[in-house]
Amino acid sequence: MVILEKVSKVYNEGTTQAFEALKEIDLHIAGGETVVLSGVSGSGKSTLLSLIAALDKPSSGKIEVGGELISKLPDIHASAYRAKRIGIIFQHFNLLEALNVEENVIVPLINSGLKTEEIRQKAAKSMEMAAISHKASQQVNALSGGEKQRCAIARALVHDPELILCDEPTANLDRANSLKFIEILRSLHHMGKTVVVATHDPLFEGLPFVDRVIHMEDGRIVEPAGAAPSADLTEES
Amino acid sequence: MNEILLSNEVIVYLLAETVLYLLLFIAFLVTLGLLKRWNFDAFTSEQFQLENRSYLVMTIILFVMLLKILLLPYFVYTIDRLSDLVPGAMCAAGVIKANAYGNPLLSLKIVILFLSGLWLSINRLDLGAKNYPYMKLKSWFFIVVFLFLSAEFILDILYFTHIETTNPVSCCSVIFGQTGGANGLPLGLDIPKLLILFYLLFALVVLTLLSDLLLLSLPATLFFAVIAYYAVVYFFGTYIYELPTHQCPFCMLQDHYYYVGYLLWGLLLFGVFFAIDAAVMQKIFKQPAETLKRNALLLLSLFVLLCSAYVAGYYFKNGVLL
C-alpha cells in the first residue's frame, strides 16, 4: 500500500539553516495495516505523514501509495490524489469554524461531481461512523475538543479513502475523548482501512489492533516493532 | 535624448519589455541547466531540486509569455500615439515606417505571439501529466523562442531609438495614393478576385476544421490569414473608414473608429492561432483538439461576420457600395 525507499527531507536546503528532518527512510506498509509512528516531537513523524499525503515533496527518494508514484506528483495531481485516496486527521482539527459540522464534513466532496443527495447521504454515513450525527447542524466553534475531533474524523472518512493519516490526533483531547478516538480507529482497522498514526501519546502503545509501532528518532526509524496486546483499554473505552 | 524616448507610452513599454526580458534571460539560463541534468527517472536530491526549479521557471515563462501577448496590442497603441510626434504620420502606419526596424519588429512580434501560444499549449499538456513528459521538448522550444525574443528586444531598442521627429514619414501619401487598391495586392489579384478568394478560403478553413482534415487546415488557415490581411486593408477597411481611398491597417485602431481594429485583428490572429494549435495538438501530440477547433471556428467566423457587417451596414445605410 505505502512504500518508501530512501526517503530524505531537508528543510531550507542549501542554506545555513538546512535541517534534515528525514534521513533515508525505508518503510513498507501493507494494505489494511494499522501502524503507529511514535517518537518525540521533532523526530520526523509529521514530516513523514506530510510526504505520504503529498502535502510536501521529499528532497530525495521514492514514495508509492497504492502503486502510484507520489513523490514527484505535480501539485495539481497531488490535490486530486489526496481528494481521492487520502483522509487526514490533524492535531488542530483544521475545521472551518464558520460552517456547521455537516458542511465541514461535505467540504472534501465539493468537487466530486456527485449529486447533492448523494453527498448528503455520504456525509450522514460518515458522521454516524464518527458518532457526531447528533451535532450535524451545530456550528463548529461551539463544539468541544472531542466533538471537533470527531467532526474531523467524519470529514476524513467522507470520501471513503483507502489510507487514513492521523497527525497527533489526541494531542488536544482529554483521556476520555482520546479513548473514544482509539475506538473509532479500531473500527477503521476492522473495516480494512490502512491507518498511519503519528503520535507520542503512550495510549497508542500496546493497542491490540495496532499491527506495528514504529519508533522514530532524529529523522530515522530506530525500532520497527510489532504491537504488544493491550491491558485494559477496551474496557476503559 | 529624443522626444520619442520621453513619451509616457514608450517609457512604460520599454520598461516592461526590459523587465520581462531580464526574467526570460534568467529563465533561459536555468533552462539550459535543466536540459543538461534532467533525468525524471532519478530520485536523487539533484533531480528533486531540478523539478522544483523547473516548476518555478516554467511559471515565470508562463507569466512572461502571457504578458508578452498583452504587450502586442499595447505596442500598436504606443506607436499609434507616437503619430502625434512624427511629422507626416497620421496613425501607426506612418510611425512603423519611420525607420527600417519597424516592419520587421511588428512581423517578429506576430511570429512570437504564435510561438508563445504554442509553448503555452505544450506547457499545459506537460502540467496536465504526472511525469513531465514534455519537459525537454518545451525547454528546447523555449530556447528557440528565447532567440526570437532576444532579436525582438534588440529590435525594440533599435526601433524606438531611431525614430526621427525631424524627418517626415510617408504615411498617407503612399497608402491613400493607391486608388482602387489593386496596386498593392499580391498574386495579381484585383478586389473581386480577392473577395472570392477570401470567402472561399474561409469556407475551406471551416470545412477542414469540421471534417478533421487538420493537415489541410494548417496551410489553408495560413493562406487565409494572408488574404484576410489584404482583404481588410484594401476592401473591408474602406467600409470602416467609409472612404474608398483610405486603405490603412492601423487607423481602425483609433478612437474615431471605436478601436474596432483591435477586435478585428485580434479575432483574426487568435482565430488563426487556435486553428494552427488544433492541428499541432491533434497531429503531433495526439491530443483531442475539439475546444481549440471550436475556438478557431468561433473567432474566424466572428471576424468574417464583422468584416461583412461593415459592408452590409454601409449598403443598407446608403444604398450603394463604395
Side-chain angles (χ1 to χ4, degrees):
Chain A
M1 179 68 193
V2 181
I3 300 171
L4 288 90
E5 287 176 10
K6 298 205 175 306
V7 172
S8 296
K9 176 67 186 176
V10 182
Y11 290 107
N12 301 320
E13 203 166 4
T15 69
T16 49
Q17 281 94 39
F19 170 69
E20 200 173 4
L22 291 177
K23 295 164 186 168
E24 303 213 328
I25 298 283
D26 286 308
L27 177 63
H28 288 217
I29 299 171
E33 244 191 313
T34 296
V35 173
V36 169
L37 297 173
S38 72
V40 296
S41 185
S43 59
K45 310 182 298 292
S46 297
T47 300
L48 190 56
L49 283 195
S50 70
L51 297 185
I52 295 172
L55 287 167
D56 201 354
K57 286 183 181 166
S59 301
S60 62
K62 188 176 179 180
I63 304 171
E64 272 183 35
V65 176
E68 185 176 5
L69 182 66
I70 60 132
S71 44
K72 294 186 171 197
L73 274 185
D75 285 351
I76 186 169
H77 295 290
S79 306
Y81 154 77
R82 282 191 296 274
K84 195 176 157 196
R85 309 182 81 155
I86 304 284
I88 310 176
I89 298 164
F90 298 95
Q91 175 181 348
H92 297 292
F93 319 128
N94 292 9
L95 298 171
L96 300 169
E97 296 282 327
L99 304 181
N100 67 28
V101 170
E102 187 185 24
E103 289 162 345
N104 265 282
V105 172
I106 280 170
V107 165
L109 297 178
I110 285 173
N111 282 324
S112 63
L114 295 172
K115 291 178 182 166
T116 312
E117 196 46 42
E118 274 180 281
I119 289 176
R120 284 188 168 276
Q121 280 173 9
K122 279 177 177 283
K125 191 177 162 192
S126 185
M127 286 189 292
E128 193 184 331
M129 203 183 297
I132 193 71
S133 302
H134 60 292
K135 297 276 184 180
S137 55
Q138 183 94 49
Q139 288 294 115
V140 159
N141 53 17
L143 299 179
S144 69
E147 289 166 340
K148 282 183 181 176
Q149 184 62 293
R150 292 205 293 281
C151 178
I153 294 167
R155 184 185 58 184
L157 300 179
V158 73
H159 54 298
D160 194 24
E162 308 154 55
L163 177 61
I164 295 154
L165 304 173
C166 313
D167 189 9
E168 300 285 3
T170 55
N172 287 328
L173 301 182
D174 57 23
R175 183 176 166 82
N177 277 312
S178 298
L179 293 174
K180 278 183 191 167
F181 176 80
I182 288 168
E183 263 313 296
I184 293 170
L185 269 194
R186 186 205 308 273
S187 314
L188 294 176
H189 175 75
H190 289 141
M191 285 164 63
K193 301 284 183 193
T194 309
V195 182
V196 183
V197 185
T199 183
H200 61 267
D201 188 340
L203 275 180
F204 284 84
E205 287 171 17
L207 292 172
F209 62 91
V210 169
D211 298 293
R212 273 189 292 165
V213 176
I214 296 169
H215 291 287
M216 293 192 69
E217 197 177 297
D218 196 24
R220 286 196 173 88
I221 291 174
V222 289
E223 187 190 338
S230 166
D232 57 353
L233 269 173
T234 47
E235 282 169 23
E236 263 186 280
S237 60
Chain B
M1 195 177 287
N2 69 36
E3 296 162 81
I4 296 293
L5 294 177
L6 291 175
S7 78
N8 292 340
E9 290 80 9
V10 174
I11 291 171
V12 170
Y13 175 78
L14 287 180
L15 195 63
E17 284 284 353
T18 306
V19 170
L20 294 182
Y21 186 75
L22 284 175
L23 282 172
L24 285 169
F25 187 70
I26 295 166
F28 170 74
L29 295 178
V30 177
T31 305
L32 287 179
L34 285 176
L35 278 168
K36 199 174 162 190
R37 292 177 292 160
W38 183 267
N39 175 15
F40 184 75
D41 295 328
F43 293 89
T44 58
S45 173
E46 184 190 34
Q47 176 60 22
F48 276 96
Q49 280 178 25
L50 286 179
E51 285 168 22
N52 290 339
R53 205 171 294 163
S54 82
Y55 193 81
L56 175 67
V57 84
M58 293 307 156
T59 306
I60 291 172
I61 298 171
L62 174 78
F63 167 75
V64 173
M65 286 196 173
L66 287 174
L67 282 183
K68 293 286 289 183
I69 290 171
L70 293 176
L71 269 177
L72 177 60
Y74 184 73
F75 169 77
V76 177
Y77 170 78
T78 299
I79 56 173
D80 189 55
R81 296 282 294 178
L82 292 181
S83 58
D84 292 340
L85 297 172
V86 179
M90 294 176 72
C91 66
V95 182
I96 202 82
K97 288 177 179 174
N99 60 47
Y101 305 112
N103 275 322
L105 177 60
L106 185 60
S107 307
L108 189 58
K109 281 181 181 295
I110 292 169
V111 170
I112 287 171
L113 175 80
F114 281 71
L115 292 177
S116 300
L118 280 177
W119 187 91
L120 291 172
S121 286
I122 298 170
N123 185 51
R124 190 175 55 84
L125 279 187
D126 195 50
L127 293 181
K130 293 180 179 177
N131 56 349
Y132 305 94
Y134 302 112
M135 181 64 207
K136 285 208 165 181
L137 176 71
K138 73 177 181 184
S139 296
W140 279 116
F141 191 42
F142 169 67
I143 302 285
V144 173
V145 178
F146 180 76
L147 298 178
F148 280 89
L149 289 163
S150 300
E152 183 207 13
F153 184 64
I154 294 165
L155 276 178
D156 267 329
I157 303 292
L158 289 172
Y159 173 63
F160 284 109
T161 52
H162 287 78
I163 297 176
E164 296 295 335
T165 51
T166 48
N167 297 342
V169 294
S170 56
C171 176
C172 302
S173 61
V174 170
I175 292 171
F176 278 110
Q178 295 170 1
T179 45
N183 291 343
L185 291 175
L187 308 170
L189 291 169
D190 55 19
I191 293 297
K193 284 180 190 161
L194 176 74
L195 289 179
I196 291 168
L197 197 56
F198 174 78
Y199 284 108
L200 280 179
L201 279 171
F202 172 65
L204 182 64
V205 169
V206 171
L207 283 175
T208 51
L209 282 173
L210 286 176
S211 54
D212 253 5
L213 297 168
L214 292 181
L215 283 182
L216 184 58
S217 92
L218 193 62
T221 309
L222 290 172
F223 194 30
F224 173 73
V226 175
I227 293 301
Y229 167 77
Y230 285 103
V232 170
V233 174
Y234 290 97
F235 180 72
F236 296 112
T238 61
Y239 285 86
I240 294 171
Y241 307 129
E242 299 190 333
L243 192 63
T245 52
H246 194 171
Q247 293 160 344
C248 176
F250 291 103
C251 282
M252 61 183 77
L253 299 163
Q254 295 178 334
D255 56 351
H256 315 306
Y257 306 102
Y258 307 106
Y259 304 104
V260 72
Y262 289 104
L263 178 63
L264 205 62
W265 294 124
L267 287 172
L268 179 64
L269 280 177
F270 282 98
V272 168
F273 167 72
F274 281 123
I276 294 170
D277 201 23
V280 171
M281 286 298 123
Q282 190 159 314
K283 293 297 169 191
I284 298 177
F285 293 95
K286 311 292 177 201
Q287 295 293 320
E290 292 313 310
T291 308
L292 295 170
K293 281 190 275 185
R294 206 164 41 241
N295 290 345
L297 284 170
L298 177 69
L299 296 180
L300 291 177
S301 300
L302 284 174
F303 168 73
V304 171
L305 276 175
L306 185 59
C307 288
S308 307
Y310 270 98
V311 181
Y314 186 86
Y315 183 77
F316 286 127
K317 203 161 69 178
N318 301 294
V320 289
L321 292 173
L322 285 170

